[in-house]
Amino acid sequence: MAIAVSSIGFSGCEEISKAATFSVPITISVSPKSDNPTIPKTDQSCTDMSTNKDFMDNKDKISGGKVKEAFFQITTLTNPVFTSGTAADQTFSTCSFTLTFDPVYGDARVYNLGTFTNVKLSDLLAGRMAVPVNTDFEDAIKLIPRRPKFCFNAVYGSFNTGPASASFIQGKLDVTIDFSVSAL
């Protein structure tokens, strides 16, 4: 046992700090939806992380984190009516995802998770697509331990063919965050 201990060396506090920090991945899933939407449109879905056991067990030790992955897809689009063409002809100018904290925290800032540019509706209907994540979102991640109630917004931009409507639209956003947690 003495041999194993003597072969481990630390060159400073930084290595001890790194060894004392680990990643806790937590996936947040929301399903923004609306009845009788007109595109362009913003749909919102809220969550309360205080109901997540892994998060609550570690929230006091969280020092930040990064988005490991984020995926979005439109799971349901019922009775769409387009200005021209079919679903295969539609391209969103943008489709972006933002986070806003519950108003009780007094933070009105809109945190940008990421944005698709010129994304085809048919691609979003076909399956999950990786959201190009914005590094500014790390500011929001640092605040989540103290502000566990927040909403994700799906902001559907205009279609290349003009406005559209439907009976119902629902998306699914899965964001996996690697929270940096102190072991000490």
Side-chain angles (χ1 to χ4, degrees):
M1 186 70 153
I3 296 171
V5 172
S6 67
S7 68
I8 299 174
F10 292 103
S11 61
C13 293
E14 185 176 328
E15 284 78 11
I16 292 171
S17 176
K18 285 181 185 174
T21 302
F22 59 96
S23 240
V24 174
I26 295 177
T27 300
I28 303 165
S29 295
V30 294
S31 296
K33 61 185 174 184
S34 61
D35 292 319
N36 302 310
T38 300
I39 305 294
K41 172 83 172 129
T42 298
D43 287 332
Q44 187 175 75
S45 185
C46 301
T47 192
D48 181 353
M49 292 297 290
S50 66
T51 63
N52 183 302
K53 183 179 175 356
D54 288 335
F55 175 79
M56 291 305 291
D57 288 348
N58 295 291
K59 77 178 188 81
D60 294 332
K61 301 173 196 163
I62 294 174
S63 60
K66 292 186 180 212
V67 174
K68 179 178 181 180
E69 58 188 17
F71 291 98
F72 180 75
Q73 79 177 96
I74 296 175
T75 56
T76 307
L77 181 63
T78 308
N79 300 322
V81 177
F82 304 107
T83 301
S84 67
T86 65
D89 302 315
Q90 308 308 310
T91 300
F92 285 106
S93 58
T94 60
C95 188
S96 60
F97 308 94
T98 62
L99 178 144
T100 53
F101 286 103
D102 189 289
V104 72
Y105 303 121
D107 180 358
R109 180 174 168 191
V110 176
Y111 297 86
N112 184 15
L113 169 64
T115 302
F116 292 115
T117 303
N118 296 320
V119 63
K120 291 183 176 187
L121 171 62
S122 58
D123 290 345
L124 289 173
L125 287 166
R128 293 174 9 136
M129 291 185 63
V131 176
V133 176
N134 187 326
T135 57
D136 291 342
F137 195 69
E138 291 175 18
D139 291 342
I141 292 171
K142 290 175 190 171
L143 297 172
I144 289 174
R146 296 184 315 277
R147 301 175 186 177
K149 295 179 184 181
F150 52 88
C151 299
F152 279 105
N153 306 288
V155 183
Y156 302 107
S158 60
F159 283 126
N160 59 317
T161 62
S165 62
S167 299
F168 181 77
I169 189 170
Q170 181 169 4
K172 185 167 190 243
L173 177 65
D174 296 314
V175 180
T176 301
I177 300 172
D178 277 338
F179 285 102
S180 298
V181 178
S182 170
L184 303 175

